[in-house]
Amino acid sequence: MMKKPKLETIPAKSKIGEPGYRITREKDESGSKVVLRFELEYPYISKGTQPRYRFMSTFEQKQEIPDSKFQFLVFAAEPYENIAFKISNEKIEPEELDFHWNEEKFTFSLRIPL
């Protein structure tokens, strides 16, 4: 008789709340495009971890009625709660994104031309 393998449960990590953030709206160097700059502070981020971000369609989420005019920008870093911002659904080229993780100040910045 074959024994069933024992399944291990992974304990859920506790979250410590949302990171501090600042959003700035400015014009690019040519003055033709609007640029959004997101600055997030993660003073208690897990050691060796870098924050992640991704763009999410409004059709992927279940909190609001889907609207094709918008998309969400989601930031994640352990042990913080994920945080999302609703932005216009403009085509964003990956090579236009400018992001930086400052390990000394524990700040993550992302610049998005729209």
Side-chain angles (χ1 to χ4, degrees):
M1 187 161 139
M2 195 167 160
K3 290 185 179 182
K4 288 185 179 179
K6 186 177 179 182
L7 298 177
E8 293 184 36
T9 57
I10 299 172
K13 294 181 180 180
S14 60
K15 301 288 184 174
I16 62 171
E18 294 180 355
Y21 64 89
R22 184 173 29 263
I23 304 169
T24 309
R25 184 181 174 153
E26 53 196 40
K27 292 276 187 181
D28 69 349
E29 295 81 25
S30 67
S32 62
K33 284 189 170 184
V34 172
V35 175
L36 292 178
R37 180 185 304 274
F38 295 86
E39 297 174 277
L40 292 95
E41 300 169 354
Y42 293 102
Y44 302 108
I45 193 168
S46 300
K47 195 166 191 113
T49 305
Q50 179 174 329
R52 299 176 315 240
Y53 69 91
R54 88 175 196 96
F55 294 94
M56 183 174 79
S57 165
T58 58
F59 296 94
E60 292 180 66
Q61 53 84 35
K62 305 287 185 231
Q63 298 295 318
E64 296 184 8
I65 297 171
D67 186 349
S68 62
K69 295 178 188 173
F70 297 99
Q71 63 185 330
F72 288 99
L73 173 57
V74 182
F75 292 94
E78 290 293 334
Y80 291 89
E81 298 280 344
N82 292 356
I83 187 167
F85 300 95
K86 192 174 186 179
I87 61 175
S88 63
N89 194 11
E90 303 288 330
K91 183 174 174 99
I92 298 171
E93 299 296 334
E95 60 271 2
E96 292 181 337
L97 295 176
D98 179 24
F99 62 92
H100 178 69
W101 169 236
N102 185 330
E103 292 184 44
E104 295 172 0
K105 295 182 180 179
F106 302 107
T107 57
F108 183 78
S109 61
L110 176 64
R111 189 172 177 271
I112 306 169
L114 297 176

Coordinates of all heavy atoms in Angstrom, one line a residue, residues 30-72:
S30 N 11.1 67.7 -23.8 CA 10.6 68.4 -25.0 C 9.3 69.2 -24.7 O 8.9 70.0 -25.5 CB 10.3 67.4 -26.1 OG 9.3 66.5 -25.7
G31 N 8.6 68.9 -23.6 CA 7.4 69.6 -23.3 C 6.2 69.1 -23.9 O 5.1 69.6 -23.8
S32 N 6.3 68.0 -24.7 CA 5.2 67.4 -25.4 C 4.4 66.3 -24.7 O 3.2 66.1 -25.0 CB 5.7 66.9 -26.8 OG 6.6 65.8 -26.5
K33 N 5.0 65.7 -23.7 CA 4.4 64.6 -23.0 C 4.3 64.9 -21.5 O 5.2 65.5 -20.9 CB 5.2 63.3 -23.2 CG 5.0 62.6 -24.5 CD 5.6 61.2 -24.4 CE 5.3 60.4 -25.7 NZ 5.8 59.1 -25.6
V34 N 3.2 64.3 -20.9 CA 3.1 64.4 -19.4 C 3.9 63.2 -18.9 O 3.8 62.1 -19.4 CB 1.6 64.3 -19.0 CG1 1.5 64.2 -17.5 CG2 0.9 65.5 -19.6
V35 N 4.6 63.4 -17.8 CA 5.3 62.4 -17.1 C 4.8 62.2 -15.7 O 4.7 63.2 -15.0 CB 6.8 62.7 -17.1 CG1 7.6 61.7 -16.3 CG2 7.4 62.9 -18.5
L36 N 4.6 61.0 -15.3 CA 4.2 60.7 -13.9 C 5.4 60.1 -13.2 O 6.0 59.2 -13.7 CB 3.0 59.7 -13.8 CG 1.7 60.2 -14.3 CD1 0.6 59.1 -14.2 CD2 1.2 61.4 -13.5
R37 N 5.8 60.6 -12.1 CA 6.9 60.1 -11.3 C 6.3 59.6 -10.0 O 5.7 60.3 -9.2 CB 7.9 61.2 -11.0 CG 9.1 60.6 -10.2 CD 10.1 61.7 -9.8 NE 10.6 62.5 -10.9 CZ 11.6 62.1 -11.7 NH1 12.3 61.0 -11.4 NH2 12.0 62.8 -12.7
F38 N 6.5 58.3 -9.7 CA 6.1 57.6 -8.5 C 7.3 57.4 -7.6 O 8.3 56.8 -8.1 CB 5.4 56.3 -8.8 CG 4.1 56.4 -9.6 CD1 4.2 56.5 -11.0 CD2 2.9 56.4 -9.0 CE1 3.0 56.6 -11.7 CE2 1.8 56.5 -9.7 CZ 1.8 56.6 -11.0
E39 N 7.3 57.8 -6.4 CA 8.3 57.6 -5.5 C 7.8 56.9 -4.2 O 6.9 57.4 -3.6 CB 9.0 58.9 -5.0 CG 9.7 59.6 -6.2 CD 10.2 61.0 -5.8 OE1 9.4 61.9 -5.8 OE2 11.4 61.1 -5.5
L40 N 8.2 55.7 -4.0 CA 7.7 54.9 -2.9 C 8.8 54.6 -1.9 O 10.0 54.4 -2.2 CB 7.2 53.5 -3.4 CG 5.9 53.7 -4.2 CD1 6.2 53.7 -5.7 CD2 4.9 52.6 -3.9
E41 N 8.5 54.6 -0.6 CA 9.4 54.4 0.5 C 9.2 53.1 1.2 O 8.0 52.8 1.6 CB 9.3 55.6 1.5 CG 9.6 56.9 0.9 CD 9.3 58.1 1.8 OE1 8.7 57.9 2.9 OE2 9.6 59.2 1.4
Y42 N 10.2 52.3 1.3 CA 10.1 51.0 1.9 C 11.2 50.8 3.0 O 12.1 50.0 2.8 CB 10.3 49.9 0.8 CG 9.2 49.8 -0.2 CD1 9.4 50.3 -1.5 CD2 8.0 49.1 0.0 CE1 8.4 50.2 -2.5 CE2 7.0 49.0 -0.9 CZ 7.2 49.6 -2.2 OH 6.3 49.4 -3.1
P43 N 11.1 51.5 4.1 CA 12.1 51.4 5.1 C 12.3 50.1 5.8 O 13.4 49.7 6.3 CB 11.7 52.5 6.1 CG 10.3 52.7 5.9 CD 10.0 52.4 4.5
Y44 N 11.3 49.2 5.7 CA 11.4 47.9 6.4 C 11.3 46.7 5.4 O 10.9 45.7 5.7 CB 10.3 47.8 7.5 CG 10.3 48.8 8.5 CD1 9.4 49.8 8.5 CD2 11.4 48.8 9.4 CE1 9.4 50.8 9.5 CE2 11.4 49.8 10.4 CZ 10.5 50.8 10.4 OH 10.5 51.8 11.4
I45 N 11.8 47.0 4.2 CA 11.7 46.0 3.2 C 12.6 44.8 3.6 O 13.6 45.0 4.2 CB 12.1 46.5 1.8 CG1 11.8 45.6 0.7 CG2 13.6 46.9 1.8 CD1 11.9 46.2 -0.7
S46 N 12.2 43.6 3.2 CA 13.0 42.4 3.5 C 14.4 42.5 2.8 O 14.5 43.0 1.7 CB 12.3 41.1 2.9 OG 11.1 41.0 3.5
K47 N 15.4 42.1 3.6 CA 16.8 42.2 3.1 C 17.0 41.5 1.8 O 16.5 40.4 1.6 CB 17.7 41.7 4.2 CG 19.2 42.1 4.0 CD 20.0 41.8 5.2 CE 21.3 42.5 5.1 NZ 21.5 43.5 6.1
G48 N 17.7 42.1 0.9 CA 18.0 41.5 -0.4 C 16.8 41.6 -1.4 O 16.9 40.9 -2.5
T49 N 15.8 42.3 -1.0 CA 14.6 42.3 -1.9 C 14.5 43.7 -2.6 O 14.8 44.7 -2.0 CB 13.3 42.2 -1.0 OG1 13.4 40.9 -0.3 CG2 12.1 42.1 -1.9
Q50 N 14.1 43.7 -3.8 CA 13.8 44.9 -4.6 C 12.3 45.0 -4.9 O 11.7 44.0 -5.3 CB 14.6 44.9 -5.8 CG 14.4 46.2 -6.7 CD 15.3 46.2 -7.9 OE1 16.5 45.7 -7.8 NE2 14.9 46.8 -8.9
P51 N 11.7 46.1 -4.8 CA 10.3 46.2 -5.1 C 10.0 45.9 -6.6 O 10.9 46.0 -7.4 CB 10.0 47.7 -4.9 CG 11.0 48.2 -3.9 CD 12.2 47.4 -4.3
R52 N 8.8 45.4 -6.8 CA 8.4 45.0 -8.2 C 7.2 45.9 -8.6 O 6.5 46.4 -7.7 CB 8.0 43.5 -8.2 CG 9.1 42.6 -7.9 CD 8.6 41.2 -7.9 NE 7.3 41.1 -7.2 CZ 7.0 40.4 -6.1 NH1 8.0 39.6 -5.6 NH2 5.9 40.3 -5.6
Y53 N 7.0 46.0 -9.9 CA 5.9 46.7 -10.4 C 5.3 46.0 -11.6 O 6.0 45.3 -12.2 CB 6.2 48.2 -10.7 CG 7.1 48.4 -11.9 CD1 6.6 48.5 -13.2 CD2 8.5 48.3 -11.8 CE1 7.4 48.6 -14.3 CE2 9.3 48.4 -12.9 CZ 8.8 48.6 -14.1 OH 9.6 48.7 -15.2
R54 N 4.0 46.3 -11.9 CA 3.5 45.8 -13.1 C 2.2 46.6 -13.5 O 1.6 47.2 -12.6 CB 3.1 44.3 -13.0 CG 1.8 43.9 -12.5 CD 1.6 42.4 -12.5 NE 0.3 42.0 -12.4 CZ -0.6 41.7 -13.4 NH1 -0.3 41.9 -14.6 NH2 -1.8 41.3 -13.1
F55 N 1.9 46.6 -14.7 CA 0.7 47.2 -15.2 C -0.4 46.2 -15.3 O -0.2 45.1 -15.8 CB 0.9 47.9 -16.6 CG 1.9 49.0 -16.5 CD1 3.3 48.8 -16.8 CD2 1.5 50.2 -16.2 CE1 4.2 49.8 -16.7 CE2 2.4 51.3 -16.1 CZ 3.8 51.1 -16.4
M56 N -1.6 46.5 -14.8 CA -2.7 45.6 -14.8 C -3.9 46.2 -15.4 O -4.3 47.4 -15.1 CB -3.0 45.2 -13.3 CG -4.1 44.2 -13.2 SD -4.3 43.7 -11.5 CE -5.2 45.0 -10.8
S57 N -4.6 45.5 -16.3 CA -5.8 46.0 -16.9 C -6.9 46.1 -15.9 O -6.9 45.3 -14.9 CB -6.2 45.0 -18.0 OG -7.5 45.2 -18.4
T58 N -7.9 47.0 -16.1 CA -9.0 47.0 -15.2 C -9.9 45.8 -15.3 O -10.7 45.5 -14.4 CB -9.9 48.3 -15.5 OG1 -10.3 48.2 -16.8 CG2 -9.1 49.6 -15.2
F59 N -9.7 45.0 -16.4 CA -10.5 43.8 -16.5 C -9.9 42.7 -15.7 O -10.6 41.6 -15.5 CB -10.6 43.4 -18.0 CG -11.3 44.4 -18.8 CD1 -10.7 45.4 -19.5 CD2 -12.7 44.4 -18.9 CE1 -11.3 46.4 -20.2 CE2 -13.4 45.3 -19.6 CZ -12.7 46.3 -20.3
E60 N -8.7 42.8 -15.2 CA -8.1 41.7 -14.3 C -8.5 41.8 -12.9 O -8.3 40.9 -12.1 CB -6.6 41.9 -14.4 CG -6.0 41.5 -15.7 CD -4.5 41.7 -15.7 OE1 -3.8 40.9 -15.0 OE2 -3.9 42.6 -16.4
Q61 N -9.0 43.0 -12.4 CA -9.3 43.2 -11.0 C -10.8 43.0 -10.7 O -11.6 43.0 -11.6 CB -8.7 44.6 -10.6 CG -9.2 45.7 -11.4 CD -10.6 46.3 -11.0 OE1 -10.9 46.3 -9.8 NE2 -11.4 46.7 -12.0
K62 N -11.1 42.9 -9.5 CA -12.5 42.7 -9.1 C -13.0 43.7 -8.1 O -14.1 43.6 -7.5 CB -12.6 41.3 -8.4 CG -12.1 40.1 -9.2 CD -13.0 39.8 -10.3 CE -12.5 38.6 -11.0 NZ -12.4 38.7 -12.4
Q63 N -12.3 44.8 -7.9 CA -12.7 45.9 -7.0 C -13.6 46.9 -7.6 O -14.4 47.5 -6.9 CB -11.5 46.6 -6.4 CG -10.6 45.6 -5.6 CD -11.2 45.1 -4.3 OE1 -11.9 45.8 -3.6 NE2 -11.1 43.8 -4.1
E64 N -13.4 47.2 -8.8 CA -14.1 48.3 -9.5 C -14.7 47.7 -10.8 O -14.3 46.7 -11.3 CB -13.2 49.5 -9.9 CG -12.7 50.2 -8.7 CD -11.9 51.4 -9.0 OE1 -11.8 51.8 -10.2 OE2 -11.2 52.0 -8.1
I65 N -15.7 48.5 -11.4 CA -16.2 48.1 -12.7 C -15.1 48.3 -13.7 O -14.5 49.4 -13.8 CB -17.5 49.0 -13.0 CG1 -18.5 48.7 -12.0 CG2 -18.0 48.7 -14.4 CD1 -19.7 49.6 -12.1
P66 N -14.9 47.3 -14.6 CA -13.8 47.5 -15.6 C -14.1 48.7 -16.6 O -15.3 48.9 -16.9 CB -13.9 46.2 -16.4 CG -14.5 45.2 -15.5 CD -15.4 46.0 -14.6
D67 N -13.1 49.4 -16.9 CA -13.2 50.6 -17.7 C -11.9 50.6 -18.7 O -10.8 50.7 -18.2 CB -13.2 51.9 -16.9 CG -13.5 53.1 -17.7 OD1 -13.4 53.0 -19.0 OD2 -13.8 54.2 -17.1
S68 N -12.2 50.5 -19.9 CA -11.0 50.4 -20.9 C -10.2 51.7 -21.0 O -9.2 51.7 -21.6 CB -11.5 50.0 -22.3 OG -12.4 51.0 -22.7
K69 N -10.7 52.8 -20.4 CA -10.0 54.1 -20.4 C -8.8 54.1 -19.4 O -8.0 55.0 -19.4 CB -10.9 55.2 -20.1 CG -12.0 55.5 -21.1 CD -12.9 56.6 -20.7 CE -14.1 56.7 -21.7 NZ -15.1 57.7 -21.2
F70 N -8.8 53.1 -18.5 CA -7.8 53.2 -17.4 C -7.1 51.8 -17.3 O -7.5 50.8 -17.8 CB -8.5 53.5 -16.0 CG -9.1 54.8 -16.0 CD1 -10.5 54.9 -16.2 CD2 -8.4 55.9 -15.8 CE1 -11.1 56.2 -16.2 CE2 -9.0 57.2 -15.8 CZ -10.3 57.3 -16.0
Q71 N -6.0 51.9 -16.5 CA -5.2 50.7 -16.2 C -4.6 51.0 -14.8 O -4.7 52.1 -14.3 CB -4.1 50.4 -17.2 CG -3.0 51.5 -17.2 CD -2.0 51.2 -18.3 OE1 -1.7 50.1 -18.6 NE2 -1.4 52.2 -18.9
F72 N -4.2 49.9 -14.1 CA -3.6 50.1 -12.8 C -2.1 49.8 -12.9 O -1.6 49.0 -13.6 CB -4.2 49.1 -11.8 CG -5.6 49.4 -11.4 CD1 -6.7 48.8 -12.1 CD2 -5.9 50.3 -10.5 CE1 -8.0 49.1 -11.7 CE2 -7.2 50.6 -10.1 CZ -8.2 50.0 -10.7

